[in-house]
Amino acid sequence: LAGCLGDDDDVIVPGTASGFPPFEFREDGELMGFDIDLLEAVVAETEYELGEWEDFDFDGLIPALTGDRIDVIAAAMTISPDRQETIAFTDPYWESDQAVLVREDDGFQPASWTDFEGRPVGAQSGTTGAEQVQTNLIDTGVIDEDDYSSYDNYVFAVEDLENGNIDGVVIDLPVAETFAAQRDVAIAFVEETGEEYGFGLRQDESELQTALNDGLAAVRDGDEYAEITDRWFGQ
Ligand code: ARG
């Protein structure tokens, strides 16, 4: 376990879940995005060194962290009380809401959750988007449990939306905007959840937590933060 904390070199192994542009995605096989650049800049401010990136399905990240396969999660992960029962987070580094994607130029243009009556919907497994499907569509009886498709990766969900297998995808707003710009999908409406992303850590790593919070503050105070933000969110 080269990446285990306590090693002399203090290498920390980062884990992500690609397929979530512009935060983490692959282009010609290469992993890139806002989270990748931000964590690299933050760790450069500390005495730790960043190891090789590991790529998991989103719902595999917390088990990988608690199982010591990785030391930090950088995956646009929303800080939530539920997750805080198992892991710790750094200070927040981004804010987000949830959006509902539909096909572009399609007759179906829902304005609210109730418009989904009986229609198939998808989200990535283990996400807050999947929670929104549960609370707004399944628990309320707007759709049956069978009408919900859970995906390992949002890219597959968006592809299924494009080819008509499902009629909506519930996903973080900045990622919805990116897919809407790149593919034949559009944002139908937004649910204001006011989520905040943090880097995830094991609960017993308070030293690393302090170091990353200090590093995050330092990056934010410098020019690099604006550069990174511009690179992934600029026009
Ligand atoms: N922010 C949402 C959550 O924490 C979605 C994150 C999905 N991230 C990813 N890299 N696929 O549940």
Side-chain angles (χ1 to χ4, degrees), residues 43-195:
V43 172
E45 296 285 341
T46 71
E47 289 181 355
Y48 294 90
E49 234 181 87
L50 209 58
E52 290 287 314
W53 284 89
E54 303 265 0
D55 201 355
F56 293 88
D57 289 341
F58 186 75
D59 63 7
L61 282 167
I62 291 179
L65 179 68
T66 57
D68 289 342
R69 293 185 58 192
I70 55 175
D71 301 307
V72 56
I73 296 172
M77 187 176 274
T78 301
I79 301 168
S80 75
D82 252 18
R83 290 173 180 158
Q84 281 169 318
E85 283 180 17
T86 319
I87 65 169
F89 287 94
T90 61
D91 292 333
Y93 65 83
W94 204 260
E95 279 174 24
S96 177
D97 293 309
Q98 292 294 310
V100 177
L101 281 174
V102 295
R103 277 178 300 281
E104 206 175 17
D105 308 321
D106 191 274
F108 179 53
Q109 293 298 329
S112 71
W113 296 109
T114 48
D115 291 340
F116 270 94
E117 188 82 57
R119 291 197 179 245
V121 173
Q124 185 177 35
S125 170
T127 59
T128 49
E131 271 170 33
Q132 291 293 315
V133 171
Q134 186 67 45
T135 54
N136 296 306
L137 292 175
I138 299 173
D139 293 351
T140 52
V142 175
I143 67 168
D144 284 342
E145 197 130 32
D146 294 349
D147 294 323
Y148 169 58
S149 298
S150 142
Y151 295 85
D152 287 341
N153 194 307
Y154 266 122
V155 173
F156 304 145
V158 169
E159 281 167 6
D160 257 11
L161 175 61
E162 283 177 320
N163 61 37
N165 287 334
I166 52 176
D167 290 334
V169 171
V170 183
I171 184 168
D172 296 34
L173 178 58
V175 183
E177 285 167 341
T178 307
F179 279 129
Q182 295 174 348
R183 315 190 61 134
D184 296 331
V185 295
I187 294 171
F189 63 90
V190 170
E191 176 80 26
E192 289 182 13
T193 54
E195 292 165 61

